[in-house]
Amino acid sequence: RAKQQGQTRSCVFDAVMHQSAQGRLALERDLRQALKDEAFELLYQPIVRLPDGELTGFEALIRWRKPDGSRVFPGEFIALAEETGLINPLGDWVLREACRQIGQWQRNEGAEQDFYISVNLSSVQFFQANLIETVRSAMSEHSVQPGQLKLELTEGILVDDNPQIVDRMRQLLAMGCGIMVDDFGTGYSSLSYLQRFPLEVLKIDQSFTAKIKESTGLHLVRAIISMAHALELGVIAEGIESEDVAHCLAGLGCELGQGYYFARPLSADQAGRCFESPQAAIGAHQKGHH
Ligand code: C2E
Ligand code: MG
Ligand code: MG
Ligand code: MG
């Protein structure tokens, strides 16, 4: 089709393609350098009990700190990191850093309290040959106890019938790493995987949470929660932005949630202060950054 539209059109198209290939190369080069410089940072978003906001744990969310002080969001670099394989060293860093933080909180602010950090695992990383070893050594280096590290996987991994997936999950579970399904409801998989895999929690995607004030949205969220409970899975609602929505979810029996209403993703120092009072997470959204 581009051919039919003549030379000019296809020259412009080539120029755009070329530019974006260069842009990708530059991004890849910068990512490699950032890995060497350890220019990444984890922010921690509280996961709280509904509706009162009592802290139960945190989700770790990666940011890339640029030399000029700006922060780059994962949406801008995770996909390229996956394509180039850089996600493996990057993901290893995230696991070790989260475990280091667990160890530090356990010795200090969080000593009196049960808590966990959940880490997002890319599917590329899940299939990495030495994943189990990486998790095991990160946990033991920082004396992480069973239940303190959880892993978030997207439905993409769960469509596969590959028996290795179940094996791998069992090994992770045996180490005390519960597995959550992230962005539940946005994948294309059948629901049968929910029975096939040893899962702990469904995280309702924020696109559903956002529509809970509409009647079809409400029906959908109610159905997800009752299905999760029938399968003896926990439920976390993502993207809670108002008190109304928190109460509505609690009324539907959703026990856990996270979102800007309770707290934005916080720096490790800010997150550490959430241990001071059981409901410190509420209102932290005024102090947090992105
Ligand atoms: P996710 O795991 O579903 O994380 C939730 C995203 O929603 C985060 O975006 C979070 O900042 C944002 N969020 C939290 N509360 C609210 C709210 O009330 N309203 C709205 N509109 N958004 C909210 P973020 O930090 O930009 O992360 C985006 C995605 O990047 C994550 O989605 C996850 O898939 C991926 N990601 C983040 N950190 C890592 C990581 O360390 N490794 C890997 N592989 N992926 C990561
Ligand atoms: Mg997540
Ligand atoms: Mg999610
Ligand atoms: Mg998401």
Side-chain angles (χ1 to χ4, degrees), residues 17-77:
M17 289 290 287
H18 183 63
Q19 192 187 34
S20 87
Q22 272 189 342
R24 289 162 57 88
L25 276 176
L27 182 62
E28 185 180 343
R29 186 199 55 214
D30 291 352
L31 261 180
R32 277 183 206 284
Q33 188 59 44
L35 265 167
K36 287 192 193 128
D37 300 343
E38 301 217 355
F40 296 97
E41 169 187 30
L42 294 183
L43 298 185
Y44 298 94
Q45 186 175 40
I47 298 173
V48 303
R49 218 167 280 295
L50 296 178
D52 62 342
E54 189 185 328
L55 180 71
T56 66
F58 300 91
E59 176 176 9
L61 296 161
I62 195 168
R63 299 292 182 264
W64 175 4
R65 270 181 284 109
K66 283 295 183 72
D68 66 3
S70 61
R71 282 195 171 99
V72 185
F73 287 83
E76 292 183 49
F77 61 89

Side-chain angles (χ1 to χ4, degrees), residues 104-118:
Q104 190 191 315
W105 279 336
Q106 196 180 1
R107 286 189 305 277
N108 303 301
E109 298 90 330
E112 306 288 297
Q113 210 174 316
D114 286 338
F115 69 93
Y116 56 87
I117 291 178
S118 70

Side-chain angles (χ1 to χ4, degrees), residues 242-267:
S242 71
E243 185 175 15
D244 263 14
V245 170
H247 274 103
C248 182
L249 283 159
L252 296 176
C254 180
E255 59 270 19
L256 298 171
Q258 65 185 108
Y260 297 163
Y261 168 64
F262 296 105
R264 287 189 174 261
L266 306 170
S267 69

Side-chain angles (χ1 to χ4, degrees), residues 59 120 152 154 181-184 203-206 238 258:
E59 176 176 9
N120 292 286
E152 300 193 7
T154 52
V181 181
D182 202 356
D183 304 340
F184 179 75
K203 297 189 76 173
I204 302 178
D205 190 68
Q206 56 195 45
E238 305 191 82
Q258 65 185 108

Side-chain angles (χ1 to χ4, degrees), residues 122-222:
S122 148
S123 55
V124 176
Q125 205 186 345
F126 182 80
F127 290 110
Q128 199 188 354
N130 56 358
L131 173 75
I132 301 296
E133 233 358 87
T134 304
V135 174
R136 198 192 306 281
S137 73
M139 287 179 73
S140 76
E141 186 180 341
H142 300 285
S143 306
V144 172
Q145 303 303 304
Q148 289 189 308
L149 178 70
K150 298 185 190 292
L151 301 172
E152 300 193 7
L153 302 176
T154 52
E155 286 172 275
I157 296 175
L158 306 166
V159 291
D160 214 316
D161 233 337
N162 182 346
Q164 279 183 343
I165 300 174
V166 182
D167 279 357
R168 189 152 274 212
M169 287 184 176
R170 294 236 164 86
Q171 287 178 286
L172 290 167
L173 269 186
M175 296 190 282
C177 288
I179 294 168
M180 311 201 200
V181 181
D182 202 356
D183 304 340
F184 179 75
T186 62
Y188 296 96
S189 48
S190 82
L191 293 174
S192 63
Y193 77 81
L194 292 175
Q195 285 182 298
R196 203 160 58 229
F197 296 110
L199 305 167
E200 186 175 279
V201 168
L202 299 186
K203 297 189 76 173
I204 302 178
D205 190 68
Q206 56 195 45
S207 59
F208 297 109
T209 306
K211 294 202 184 85
I212 201 170
K213 307 301 278 182
E214 298 161 24
S215 89
T216 49
L218 179 68
H219 291 314
L220 211 49
V221 171
R222 179 186 285 130

